[in-house]
Amino acid sequence: MNIVVCVSGGGTNLQAIIDKIADGTISDTKIVGVISNNKDAYALTRAANAGIDSVCVSPKDYEDRDKFNKAFLETVDKFNPDLIVLAGFLVNIPKEFVERYRGRIINIHPSLIPSFCGKGYYGLKVHEAALLRGVKVTGATVHFVDEGTDTGPIILQKAVEVEPGDTPEILQRRVMEQAEWIILPAAIDMIAKGYRID
Ligand code: GRF
């Protein structure tokens, strides 16, 4: 199964996928490309270090959203992927993209959906909201992407304890280590082995 991974930041989820393909946790899968909207994303360095083709397609380089959407879609199409993985990708997904690849786009969100998700909930903001609400358990979710924000069918979730004294940064790190970096590779392996939304 050929996958494209879309990134915007540090790329720790990308790194988990690279490592779990290498150690056989993820079967029958090859990362054929990494696409970032941010030319400074350390995820691009991780891709280069792993010898993976990467491309930066930034909305800033296009005069309007439609032109960016078209360029993004063409970039994805060129890799001819079986699956697209959004791993910390902070770009509004074009409707045409969801239609073209329905059932073949997955996303990792750093909470137990339906909590702390939807518009405005990304990165540290998710963990700030969880701490503000005082939840004792949070976690991460892998889901298929549909036209909404964090609304597609859920594939896997994993719970993580909130601990006294947690800051958003400490909680984010624990959710990454104990949940994201485990369930995103696991979901890719499930799909490589034939898992589909019924
Ligand atoms: C993380 O908070 C992750 O939960 C979210 O994007 C952020 C960056 O992840 N999906 P990464 O280190 O770039 O994979």
Side-chain angles (χ1 to χ4, degrees):
M1 177 173 75
N2 288 345
I3 70 173
V4 162
V5 184
C6 296
V7 296
S8 298
T12 63
N13 280 286
L14 167 66
Q15 192 64 55
I17 298 166
I18 292 168
D19 296 346
K20 301 248 170 128
I21 287 174
D23 74 11
T25 307
I26 299 174
S27 49
D28 185 30
T29 296
K30 179 175 189 293
I31 304 173
V32 292
V34 169
I35 301 174
S36 176
N37 62 310
N38 168 12
K39 67 180 176 15
D40 302 322
Y42 187 67
L44 291 170
T45 304
R46 295 180 190 275
N49 292 344
I52 298 167
D53 251 359
S54 64
V55 183
C56 181
V57 185
S58 166
K60 295 191 190 97
D61 298 337
Y62 296 88
E63 57 195 67
D64 63 47
R65 197 75 208 187
D66 284 349
K67 288 189 173 58
F68 165 74
N69 289 348
K70 190 169 173 303
F72 176 70
L73 212 52
E74 281 166 4
T75 306
V76 175
D77 288 347
K78 267 193 218 125
F79 286 115
N80 190 27
D82 301 302
L83 180 71
I84 295 116
V85 180
L86 308 183
F89 192 52
L90 301 178
V91 168
N92 291 324
I93 299 301
K95 193 168 52 61
E96 309 85 337
F97 177 56
V98 174
E99 281 157 10
R100 174 89 57 90
Y101 289 100
R102 191 175 300 281
R104 293 192 288 154
I105 312 168
I106 64 173
N107 180 53
I108 176 85
H109 181 76
S111 77
L112 295 176
I113 289 175
S115 298
F116 312 116
C117 66
K119 291 217 181 323
Y121 286 101
Y122 56 88
L124 272 183
K125 292 172 186 284
V126 174
H127 306 291
E128 285 163 4
L131 291 171
L132 202 59
R133 181 65 186 83
V135 295
K136 302 306 176 194
V137 174
T138 185
T141 302
V142 183
H143 63 94
F144 283 106
V145 172
D146 64 9
E147 284 77 0
T149 305
D150 305 327
T151 51
I154 290 172
I155 303 168
L156 286 177
Q157 293 189 300
K158 193 167 187 310
V160 172
E161 300 283 322
V162 179
E163 292 177 12
D166 270 350
T167 63
E169 292 77 5
I170 293 170
L171 183 54
Q172 177 178 53
R173 184 80 196 176
R174 187 178 313 119
V175 168
M176 284 175 162
E177 286 171 352
Q178 295 184 8
E180 296 179 42
W181 300 343
I182 294 166
I183 62 174
L184 185 54
I188 293 167
D189 185 53
M190 283 164 60
I191 294 166
K193 288 171 177 161
Y195 178 85
R196 294 289 179 276
I197 355 174
D198 35 55

